[in-house]
Amino acid sequence: MADDIKDIAHAVDAASVMRLFASPPRVLALGEPTHGVDAPLLLRNALFRQLVEREGYRTVTIESDCVAGLLVDDYVTTGAGTLDEVMERGFGHGLGKSTANRELVRWMRAFNADRPASDRVRFAGFDGPLEMAYAASPREAITSLHRVLADHVDAGLLPCTAGTLDRLLGADERWTDPAAMLDPSASFGRSAEAGQLRLLADDLGALLDAWTPHLIAVTSR
């Protein structure tokens, strides 16, 4: 039985991590002892760089808004936008203010700059588009889905136009009123417009399911 911390502690580097497994895991999860502190995130960054450069990992995902994270992924893979923009709009929970997260995004963009698309490092959020006191407007999710379908399926199959979605969504601010956390009557989710959007979202989702094989065939590289 180990009775010294030296017998159970390991260096935080890619080689030591890989020795913990019989074979390299496809998904490797790292915990952090607390939120809002950069020190463990800087350690995460160093380890991630090693995992990318030495072990071939090609995606990092963090506990942040999955929809907003698409902006970060677009930036690190193509250079779209600016670093300041994606740090402001591409993270949930205020994580874009973290110096360590900014360093991570900057490094990912530099790593990808001269690489073919198949070898670029990707970014993803794995949290819902939610904050402590409100949920984000569904605009980005539902309009992006509509746009993809409109580009690749017969227009007659779509349950609505982009203009209809925009009218029902209205101003994003009415979706994010923190008062709804304590007062259900303040929630725009109880409105007739939200009810119509839910039905349209279901129809768009069903259309996506039906056309997934076709979409994969025409969009995959």
Side-chain angles (χ1 to χ4, degrees):
M1 178 177 176
D3 57 5
D4 192 305
I5 192 171
K6 294 179 181 178
D7 297 326
I8 58 175
H10 300 272
V12 183
D13 58 40
S16 296
V17 170
M18 290 298 106
R19 283 196 293 269
L20 298 174
F21 303 97
S23 60
R26 293 187 62 191
V27 178
L28 178 61
L30 304 176
E32 61 185 46
T34 185
H35 292 313
V37 178
D38 271 344
L41 302 185
L42 291 170
L43 186 63
R44 171 208 65 188
N45 291 355
L47 178 58
F48 178 65
R49 287 195 294 269
Q50 293 181 15
L51 290 169
V52 168
E53 295 169 347
R54 303 176 189 177
E55 303 295 335
Y57 284 85
R58 284 297 180 267
T59 300
V60 61
T61 178
I62 70 172
E63 188 180 358
S64 181
D65 186 326
C66 60
V67 176
L70 297 173
L71 295 174
V72 184
D73 184 60
D74 200 21
Y75 173 75
V76 300
T77 54
T78 71
T82 68
L83 180 59
D84 286 341
E85 289 171 350
V86 299
M87 297 311 298
E88 179 180 355
R89 300 174 50 222
F91 290 84
H93 317 312
L95 298 179
K97 298 177 182 178
S98 162
T99 299
N101 285 335
R102 187 181 185 90
E103 177 188 291
L104 174 65
V105 174
R106 182 189 293 113
W107 178 83
M108 292 176 71
R109 177 63 202 134
F111 181 87
N112 286 336
D114 299 317
R115 293 180 180 273
S118 61
D119 193 41
R120 291 172 189 162
V121 179
R122 307 294 300 269
F123 179 93
F126 66 83
D127 207 356
L130 308 169
E131 296 297 337
M132 289 297 294
Y134 64 87
S137 164
R139 177 182 303 280
E140 185 64 28
I142 196 168
T143 57
S144 294
L145 174 56
H146 185 277
R147 185 164 53 250
V148 169
L149 291 171
D151 286 344
H152 298 289
V153 306
D154 189 286
L157 297 175
L158 295 170
C160 64
T161 65
T164 296
L165 290 179
D166 189 61
R167 175 178 59 79
L168 292 173
L169 286 162
D172 288 346
E173 290 75 15
R174 61 183 180 177
W175 292 91
T176 57
D177 184 357
M181 186 176 185
L182 300 176
D183 179 8
S185 67
S187 172
F188 188 68
R190 297 166 62 93
S191 67
E193 292 93 334
Q196 293 178 60
L197 281 169
R198 174 54 193 267
L199 295 176
L200 291 173
D202 287 346
D203 288 342
L204 289 168
L207 190 60
L208 175 64
D209 288 342
W211 282 77
T212 291
H214 171 74
L215 292 171
I216 291 174
V218 299
T219 63
S220 297
R221 298 177 181 176

